[in-house]
Amino acid sequence: MDAAKQQMFINRLSKVYKHIGKLARKQQVTCYRVYDHDLPEFPLCIEFYGDNLYIAEYKRNHGMTDEAHDDWMEACIETICSILSVQKENVFLKLRQRKPGRLGQYQKVDAQQHEFAVSENGLQFIVNLSDYLDTGLFLDHRLTRQMVREQCAGKKVLNLFAYTGSFSVYAAAGGASYVETVDLSKTYLAWAERNLQLNGFTDEHKYKIVHADVLQYLQSIPAQSFDLIVMDPPTFSNSKRMEDFLDIQRDHVRLINQCLQALTPGGVLYFSTNFRRFQLAADELQAAYIKDITRATTPFDFEGKLFRWCYKLHKAE
């Protein structure tokens, strides 16, 4: 690795970790992002999950041979472990390459052995840093989850496109009277159920898991069924199990209005999307009040680097 570029990476990582690590300790946050493509020459995402470190390389045309790329990554890992004071055996690497090469030592493949629970705001979540595209916990919604938790007491909550159910756990912890968790993936729904059980939420009638295509499911929900809904859909989806494909820019008006119909008077919808060019068609929505809470839900470790939108929509009383 070029010595000047390596020093540049050392300086940058040391600087951001000093700042972000301090904030994490102050707020008692154990899962957070340290570095995210700060330097174009080092297109990495680096995140702490408790004592473990997750490193993902963004896909790019780096022009290196497999061997040269392995050497580069090894040097990066050495640097990262040194600065962040992490043992190499606690590093999980997600490489965007054809063959794992000798870096396979970091590519943990046994799902059961390399799942572990992490803590966030007093709640426990199972993460897997090796076997899936994502880890099981979206760190950028840490504040949004807490916001939902604080508004759930005694309410009926619906979590759509629920992934591993972190919003459902927060809703249950906030004292929700009923929580429904909906997703098309049986794998993620089983994960969500385990997250609920891990936190002591085991009543299957009170905490319902629903395997369904959200686009179809929303059409079947009776009006005024829920007090609070969370909807964080993918930007685009054309799963074979879906009757139609999802394009969030095209479909958000229909989806949001269906959610508003399913809400009780005065109910609230939290809607989020990762589509960078997203434009909310506010004039077509049947909400009494819409608030952009993107900045309010941006955690300290994502400031200036968060490319998602988040809205809070209120139904008329």
Side-chain angles (χ1 to χ4, degrees), residues 89-123:
E89 54 264 30
N90 288 359
V91 171
F92 290 78
L93 190 61
K94 190 62 65 72
L95 286 176
R96 308 288 194 247
Q97 62 181 77
R98 294 183 303 279
K99 296 180 290 183
R102 68 170 182 271
L103 294 170
Q105 62 183 306
Y106 302 103
Q107 308 266 45
K108 314 296 196 301
V109 292
D110 187 326
Q112 294 306 312
Q113 286 188 9
H114 295 102
E115 278 187 353
F116 57 94
V118 294
S119 177
E120 183 184 89
N121 289 322
L123 300 171

Side-chain angles (χ1 to χ4, degrees), residues 203-274:
D203 186 336
E204 294 179 5
H205 299 290
K206 190 174 179 180
Y207 309 111
K208 188 178 179 183
I209 301 291
V210 178
H211 176 239
D213 172 4
V214 171
L215 274 66
Q216 301 301 313
Y217 193 67
L218 270 172
Q219 298 175 33
S220 69
I221 299 175
Q224 302 186 19
S225 296
F226 293 93
D227 305 302
L228 189 149
I229 299 176
V230 177
M231 182 167 62
D232 184 18
T235 296
F236 182 85
S237 179
N238 61 350
S239 169
K240 293 176 182 177
R241 291 165 293 172
M242 295 171 64
E243 289 190 19
D244 190 12
F245 71 92
L246 170 68
D247 178 328
I248 198 56
Q249 184 62 62
R250 181 196 71 178
D251 299 328
H252 77 277
V253 170
R254 172 167 59 98
L255 289 172
I256 288 173
N257 283 337
Q258 286 175 333
C259 285
L260 290 167
Q261 287 178 350
L263 284 170
T264 53
V268 170
L269 166 67
Y270 284 87
F271 168 71
S272 178
T273 175
N274 286 320

Side-chain angles (χ1 to χ4, degrees), residues 145-196:
R145 288 190 279 270
Q146 184 63 15
M147 200 177 281
V148 166
R149 179 183 189 169
E150 292 166 359
Q151 297 187 355
C152 281
K155 293 182 178 178
K156 297 176 76 172
V157 178
L158 175 62
N159 184 9
L160 299 170
F161 302 99
Y163 186 42
T164 59
S166 56
F167 273 106
S168 299
V169 172
Y170 268 82
S177 61
Y178 175 77
V179 182
E180 196 163 296
T181 304
V182 185
D183 202 278
L184 188 59
S185 166
K186 289 183 178 179
T187 298
Y188 288 139
L189 281 176
W191 198 330
E193 190 167 22
R194 289 163 62 217
N195 274 333
L196 283 161

Side-chain angles (χ1 to χ4, degrees), residues 33 134 138-141 161 163 231-236 248-249 271-279 294 302 305-311:
R33 183 168 292 182
D134 296 300
F138 291 134
L139 303 184
D140 64 297
H141 273 304
F161 302 99
Y163 186 42
M231 182 167 62
D232 184 18
T235 296
F236 182 85
I248 198 56
Q249 184 62 62
F271 168 71
S272 178
T273 175
N274 286 320
F275 182 39
R276 290 194 183 199
R277 300 190 303 277
F278 181 74
Q279 292 184 315
T294 303
F302 285 85
K305 297 181 181 178
L306 186 54
F307 303 104
R308 63 127 169 96
W309 303 90
C310 195
Y311 301 92

Side-chain angles (χ1 to χ4, degrees), residues 66-135:
D66 287 349
E67 188 174 0
H69 181 265
D70 281 357
D71 289 341
W72 175 84
M73 184 56 79
E74 281 278 17
C76 286
I77 292 169
E78 290 276 358
T79 298
I80 293 164
C81 287
S82 175
I83 294 170
L84 305 188
S85 300
V86 174
Q87 299 297 316
K88 273 191 176 183
E89 54 264 30
N90 288 359
V91 171
F92 290 78
L93 190 61
K94 190 62 65 72
L95 286 176
R96 308 288 194 247
Q97 62 181 77
R98 294 183 303 279
K99 296 180 290 183
R102 68 170 182 271
L103 294 170
Q105 62 183 306
Y106 302 103
Q107 308 266 45
K108 314 296 196 301
V109 292
D110 187 326
Q112 294 306 312
Q113 286 188 9
H114 295 102
E115 278 187 353
F116 57 94
V118 294
S119 177
E120 183 184 89
N121 289 322
L123 300 171
Q124 298 289 308
F125 297 94
I126 298 163
V127 296
N128 185 318
L129 306 188
S130 58
D131 304 321
Y132 301 94
L133 192 60
D134 296 300
T135 65

